[in-house]
Amino acid sequence: MKKLLSLILALTLVVSVFAGCAKKGADQTQDQGNQQQAEEIKPEEGASLVVWESDGPEGEFIKFAAQEFEKKYGVKVKFEPVDHTQTSGKLQQDGPAGVGADIISAPHDHVGKMVAAGLIQPNHNPDRFKNGFLEAAINGVSYEGTIYGYPTAIETYALFYNKDIVKEAPKTFEEIVEFAKTYNNPKEKKYALMWDVGNAYFSHCFLTAFGGYVFGDNGTNKDDIGLNNEGAVEGAKYFKSLRSIFDVKQKDANYQFMDGQFAAKKAAMIINGPWAVAGYQKAKVNFGVAPLPTMNGKQPISFSGIRGLYLSSFTKYPNAAKLFLDFVTSDEMLLKRFEMTRQIPPVKALMDKPEIKDDPIVAGFMAQAQNSTPMPSIPQMALVWEPMAAAYSAIWDGKMEPKAALDKAVQTIKDAIASQK
């Protein structure tokens, strides 16, 4: 009996060891398979690629990456400047005709719309991105549980301030209003604070400070719209009150005006995003970046966005395109992208790099990111921008009262959603 028990125990131990080895071997095989999937992609013979990305620092990075990619793989990549907010619409027109890009850059809130229209393919190596990228970035470029995008940056807007004019960033909007009384000079187009007032991306923060939101259930419930609730109306009133310190009609209070005046050192403060950093550094503006100030003691919540690249459903060279997407989202390339654009790469391993964590400009955006919410990525989000822009314009120019303007915008959105059913 003792011998039999010893034999059973020995056999059990052997089986356990083999089972453990088998599982370890299976895990290693799966890991190797994922690695080989990326390594074994071979570009099609005669492949060449077109990438659509915004002009400016982002485009310069694509040009740089294209040169390095061609050196390594012998595949030519052509950069074509198309604003990343316009690429999905252009691909819908040009893709079926065979003249669209192979890879496009787009904001994450376009993902649902692009998937519904059949414009983009799923990410070909999702495990790599799930394991190495920030969860917020992965969620942003996913739709209904599938990863579609290849994240390149996580961003939100914040307060830029000229340190030669404003020694310390204000903590409240009320401080800005007081400062404007002595600084503003409309004849010289000098203003304490400027922003693109008719842009629903930037001005949304005024509604959120008081409790407004776009869609309920973390941006997924199209039937719960919070853009005209009591808090949103209160926020719109606060937004309107700032016409007293930035008395410019909406059509003139645009991004180009704000951007130019800050670069010319006439605007003391602006609300803008990390994409503008390189330009202001080139203009030699002595600036800092800080979280958005409070409004009547309430913290505004900015929109956050995930910049990403997407694989076109119409590409003739899917292998070459996937290879480029792997290449351009490598740690090395995304660190170079940060150097060129100052946009924060959404990669876990890069967050502790001294050039990122010790950068005071990045610290300002990261602080605001704690008070941000991702733009909803459901297809219905595309129906929000235009009606809300019209509402902000009408409120700013005094053509409609805040509640009436927001009610009209929400009804327009609801009607547009209903028409899609």
Side-chain angles (χ1 to χ4, degrees), residues 5-65:
L5 285 172
S6 297
L7 182 60
I8 291 170
L9 287 171
L11 286 171
T12 302
L13 180 62
V14 170
V15 170
S16 297
V17 169
F18 272 104
C21 291
K23 183 180 186 305
K24 185 177 180 182
D27 290 343
Q28 288 176 338
T29 301
Q30 184 177 0
D31 291 341
Q32 288 169 356
N34 288 336
Q35 187 176 0
Q36 287 171 357
Q37 182 185 11
E39 291 176 352
E40 290 176 358
I41 295 176
K42 300 294 183 186
E44 297 85 353
E45 190 173 345
S48 63
L49 302 173
V50 173
V51 180
W52 288 344
E53 170 64 285
S54 298
D55 208 359
E58 301 89 350
E60 291 302 313
F61 167 71
I62 293 296
K63 289 180 190 176
F64 171 82

Side-chain angles (χ1 to χ4, degrees), residues 303-358:
F303 269 138
S304 61
I306 308 301
R307 288 229 183 195
L309 296 170
Y310 298 86
L311 177 61
S312 167
S313 296
F314 308 100
T315 179
K316 296 175 183 176
Y317 306 111
N319 285 357
K322 289 172 184 176
L323 194 63
F324 182 76
L325 287 163
D326 280 331
F327 178 80
V328 84
T329 55
S330 65
D331 288 2
E332 180 185 359
M333 281 291 111
L334 287 182
L335 198 58
K336 181 66 177 180
R337 189 183 188 281
F338 168 75
E339 179 187 316
M340 297 178 72
T341 68
R342 312 313 290 175
Q343 295 170 13
I344 305 165
V347 180
K348 296 172 187 175
L350 297 182
M351 287 296 170
D352 289 329
K353 291 282 186 180
E355 52 264 60
I356 292 178
K357 73 175 184 178
D358 297 336

Side-chain angles (χ1 to χ4, degrees), residues 237-316:
K237 290 177 181 177
Y238 195 91
F239 163 83
K240 181 181 180 180
S241 74
L242 295 175
R243 179 72 188 255
S244 65
I245 66 165
F246 187 24
D247 192 14
V248 176
K249 289 182 178 179
Q250 180 275 318
K251 68 180 179 68
D252 298 319
N254 55 36
Y255 187 92
Q256 290 73 23
F257 184 40
M258 164 194 78
D259 184 55
Q261 293 306 95
F262 194 73
K265 304 171 187 176
K266 290 189 175 183
M269 291 166 275
I270 60 169
I271 298 172
N272 210 346
W275 54 84
V277 167
Y280 301 146
Q281 289 175 332
K282 188 176 180 180
K284 297 188 178 348
V285 181
N286 180 22
F287 70 93
V289 175
L292 296 176
T294 60
M295 305 171 188
N296 286 345
K298 302 178 188 300
Q299 180 63 53
I301 307 298
S302 59
F303 269 138
S304 61
I306 308 301
R307 288 229 183 195
L309 296 170
Y310 298 86
L311 177 61
S312 167
S313 296
F314 308 100
T315 179
K316 296 175 183 176

